[in-house]
Amino acid sequence: MKSLTAALFASAALIAAPAFAQTASPEPGSAPASVATTPATPQAPFPTTPPKLIVAISVDQFSADLFQQYRNHFTGGMARLLTGAVFPSGYQSHAATETCPGHSTILTGYRPAHTGIIANNWVDQTVGRADKIVYCSEDERAPGQDHNNYIVSDMHLKVPTLGERMKTADPRVRTVSVAGKDRAAVMMGGHKVDELWWWDGKTYVSYAGRAVPPVVERTRKAVADLIARPQDALPLPGFCKPLDRAITVGSQTLGTGRFQRAAGDLKAFRVSPAADAAVLAMAAGFVQDMKLGQGPQTDILSVGLSATDYIGHALGTQGAEMCIQMAELDRSLAGFFEVLDATGVDYEVMLTADHGAHDMTERQQIRAMPMESHVAPEAKTKAMAAVVAQALGLSNTPPIMMSAEGDIYINRDLPPATRAKILAEAKRRYEALPQVAAALTRDEIAATPWPKTPPETWTLKEKARSSYDPTRSGDLLILLKPRVTTIEEPTPGYVETHGSPWDYDRRVPILFWRKGMSGFEQPLSVETVDIAPTLAATIGLPMPGVDGRCLDLDPGAADTCKR
């Protein structure tokens, strides 16, 4: 069977990667190729010259648990990365483990408290819209918009990205950012980019007024041609067979899907391995068309792969669907790297994730985790506001409380004394709910010292402190107990989620690879804010004042952080 992604690479990139001309995945039950035993060789040092191209990849919702589950089955691009520097216990160390905050840490070196990206959405009571909700990558000043229908903007990111710093140091630097989501492209690309493109649900777009380069035209056509045809079921690799079991989730039966798709189904394309392959094909085409890495300076390419997140939310993490996705992601990365290899450019790769996740409640409950639960209706802000208003003898029209994600905001139009009573009553009632781990006021969070210990030891207050911005955070932050999902009832497209302060949502892999480097594995914890200063050190770019630290990528006595 020819790979579903072969046409994407052939059309969007100038050449087709050889791996995509073969089968989509190993035949069910096939054994891995044997590895010949060779004598031990002296450990090679990390290359001493700066790379010509930095490639930063984020796989949305690629948790450390998912990485660990599949690492022994990778034979393609992920297998290559496993020969480099492997940090299996990286941390998105903050409490708000969501897409926008997570991406804001990867190439800035700052935690969300400093990037300003406290969540995917927050409440701004000064904006002229009914629900007052602001999306992290929008310009809410644009008239006639809301947080679901918005003008994409980088205005809320308060700090520079690595690409911006590189371009400031050398204006010849080219920065390119492509992704399956606007917030991934914006938060990794930053404010100064040469090209920035994302999937808007129909095609690949950028900021208004930007010229459409040939590689984007090729990608648009290749994807449109693919979507116009029905997609047959993808093969099931042998190692996926144990996960090929049906599970009833609400009105749905999941767990045995193969990504069949009717012609013209845009949503099904987005929730499939082909979506990642298309982004990688476009990224490869940019490398070729712009000749990235072939100038006197180092260029940077950011790639946001979103399919794992869409598949996780819609289908869970422990069925045949996610297993197929992991196999196809591995293959797509292999094809991408082969295109980069063909350019002859000395490139350095980093791969990580914006957050983790764990499987849907229903499957967890029948797999030795009966304590898994959905959040109770009384914990929802609307219900709590009504109860608090009644207890205090207040009108709840307009609502006395509003929320976005876990942040609760007291209506600013109320007198200060009334607001204080509402806050105290809401905190008391939330803390009494059996599913709530903590209800932290903004004053409690702001008074918490900045954490200095390894991220796995942080308290809930310390995690919250790392996500807290006094201009955007709420008056009260609600953190649920472990294994309580914020999904009240599963629906099509939304059976599993993330966003908690617990390690299954915080832990992600961090992998570095470059041709000629000797690999090693460090199981102890590091943070995603360490990525930017680590990459910057390999090109001799100082990054003082950031929250992260440089990680030494040389396994020997030499130190890549001291060049």
Side-chain angles (χ1 to χ4, degrees):
M1 174 181 175
K2 192 172 182 179
S3 168
L4 65 93
T5 53
L8 295 175
F9 261 76
S11 299
L14 298 179
I15 57 175
F20 284 80
Q22 300 167 13
T23 58
S25 54
E27 288 299 315
S30 61
S34 60
V35 179
T37 301
T38 57
T41 55
Q43 196 170 66
F46 193 88
T48 57
T49 56
K52 300 300 293 181
L53 175 64
I54 292 173
V55 181
I57 303 171
S58 171
V59 179
D60 200 322
Q61 205 185 121
F62 188 40
S63 67
D65 294 334
L66 205 56
F67 169 70
Q68 182 64 31
Q69 181 177 355
Y70 287 101
R71 63 180 295 173
N72 291 337
H73 297 294
F74 292 135
T75 59
M78 289 297 301
R80 180 190 295 210
L81 298 180
L82 282 166
T83 66
V86 178
F87 297 89
S89 192
Y91 274 80
Q92 290 281 4
S93 47
H94 48 274
T97 48
E98 297 180 326
T99 301
C100 216
H103 279 101
S104 80
T105 70
I106 293 172
L107 289 181
T108 66
Y110 290 103
R111 298 181 183 121
H114 290 145
T115 68
I117 309 301
I118 63 163
N120 285 347
N121 302 283
W122 55 83
V123 169
D124 183 345
Q125 298 187 54
T126 68
V127 299
R129 53 176 67 159
D131 64 6
K132 306 298 183 183
I133 295 177
V134 172
Y135 172 58
C136 62
S137 292
E138 74 159 312
D139 183 352
E140 65 273 16
R141 300 167 301 183
Q145 308 293 311
D146 60 42
H147 72 284
N148 290 315
N149 178 31
Y150 51 84
I151 301 297
V152 175
S153 171
D154 57 29
M155 64 179 285
H156 292 304
L157 181 62
K158 293 183 174 181
V159 296
T161 61
L162 175 60
E164 290 180 68
R165 291 176 183 266
M166 292 167 62
K167 191 176 278 288
T168 298
D170 185 345
R172 298 173 300 178
V173 168
R174 277 90 55 79
T175 65
V176 175
S177 185
V178 296
K181 296 180 181 179
D182 56 58
R183 53 189 179 269
V186 169
M187 294 300 149
M188 292 180 73
H191 309 93
K192 298 178 182 179
V193 291
D194 294 280
E195 297 289 352
L196 189 147
W197 296 85
W198 65 86
W199 176 259
D200 72 346
K202 297 179 180 179
T203 190
Y204 293 95
V205 300
S206 188
Y207 297 126
R210 275 185 175 261
V212 182
V215 62
V216 175
E217 293 283 17
R218 296 197 303 269
T219 306
R220 285 176 171 178
K221 183 180 185 306
V223 170
D225 290 346
L226 183 71
I227 293 173
R229 303 187 302 271
Q231 172 61 53
D232 293 335
L234 297 182
L236 186 72
F239 61 83
C240 294
K241 284 186 175 181
L243 299 176
D244 186 32
R245 294 169 182 253
I247 176 76
T248 299
V249 185
S251 62
Q252 305 175 83
T253 300
L254 307 175
T256 59
R258 302 287 190 277
F259 299 105
Q260 300 98 318
R261 175 181 49 76
D265 192 336
L266 289 163
K267 290 184 178 179
F269 167 77
R270 187 179 68 174
V271 188
S272 79
D276 283 346
V279 171
L280 286 167
M282 183 163 60
F286 270 119
V287 172
Q288 294 170 322
D289 284 16
M290 295 178 67
K291 300 188 184 306
L292 296 180
Q294 297 185 40
Q297 73 290 336
T298 299
D299 298 321
I300 183 167
L301 169 66
S302 304
V303 184
L305 303 178
S306 304
T308 301
D309 185 70
Y310 285 125
I311 291 166
H313 282 304
L315 305 167
T317 65
Q318 293 300 308
E321 302 95 343
M322 186 60 78
C323 191
I324 293 172
Q325 163 62 5
M326 289 293 99
E328 291 296 326
L329 173 65
D330 184 38
R331 247 181 102 69
S332 294
L333 287 169
F336 175 62
F337 294 150
E338 288 182 25
V339 174
L340 268 57
D341 292 342
T343 67
V345 169
D346 178 11
Y347 63 96
E348 179 177 35
V349 180
M350 183 286 306
L351 184 144
T352 189
D354 54 343
H355 54 73
H358 77 318
D359 203 22
M360 80 269 282
T361 300
E362 289 73 13
R363 190 153 45 204
Q364 298 278 32
Q365 288 174 337
I366 64 174
R367 292 187 177 179
M369 294 294 152
M371 71 291 291
E372 294 270 338
S373 63
H374 291 279
V375 66
E378 56 264 30
K380 294 296 185 178
T381 306
K382 185 176 180 179
M384 182 61 73
V387 170
V388 171
Q390 183 178 28
L392 298 178
L394 299 172
S395 169
N396 196 34
T397 306
I400 61 172
M401 302 189 320
M402 56 200 80
S403 66
E405 319 305 347
D407 280 288
I408 294 177
Y409 302 74
I410 310 301
N411 191 323
R412 297 279 169 163
D413 293 335
L414 297 171
T418 302
R419 296 182 67 252
K421 290 180 180 179
I422 293 170
L423 180 61
E425 182 68 11
K427 177 178 171 66
R428 182 184 72 80
R429 288 180 176 272
Y430 269 114
E431 288 178 335
L433 294 179
Q435 292 182 322
V436 171
L440 305 174
T441 68
R442 63 187 292 114
D443 289 344
E444 288 179 294
I445 298 171
T448 301
W450 198 254
K452 296 181 180 179
T453 57
E456 67 271 22
T457 68
W458 290 8
T459 65
L460 288 177
K461 286 184 180 179
E462 288 175 324
K463 297 172 188 177
R465 178 67 185 87
S466 293
S467 297
Y468 174 75
D469 181 318
T471 67
R472 295 174 182 171
S473 294
D475 298 297
L476 188 65
L477 177 66
I478 306 304
L479 300 175
L480 299 178
K481 289 181 178 178
R483 301 191 175 101
V484 179
T485 178
T486 55
I487 297 175
E488 190 173 346
E489 292 184 7
T491 58
Y494 193 54
V495 300
E496 165 263 270
T497 193
H498 45 84
S500 83
W502 308 111
D503 280 2
Y504 49 75
D505 283 350
R506 295 172 76 220
R507 290 180 62 247
V508 297
I510 302 176
L511 313 175
F512 297 89
W513 179 90
R514 187 177 171 192
K515 185 177 180 181
M517 73 178 288
S518 290
F520 66 92
E521 181 154 340
Q522 172 53 268
L524 298 180
S525 62
V526 296
E527 296 184 63
T528 54
V529 293
D530 300 334
I531 292 168
T534 300
L535 294 173
T538 65
I539 59 173
L541 179 68
M543 285 192 68
V546 296
D547 295 329
R549 66 183 179 90
C550 178
L551 304 174
D552 177 13
L553 298 183
D554 192 314
D559 190 341
T560 58
C561 298
K562 296 179 180 180
R563 290 182 179 172

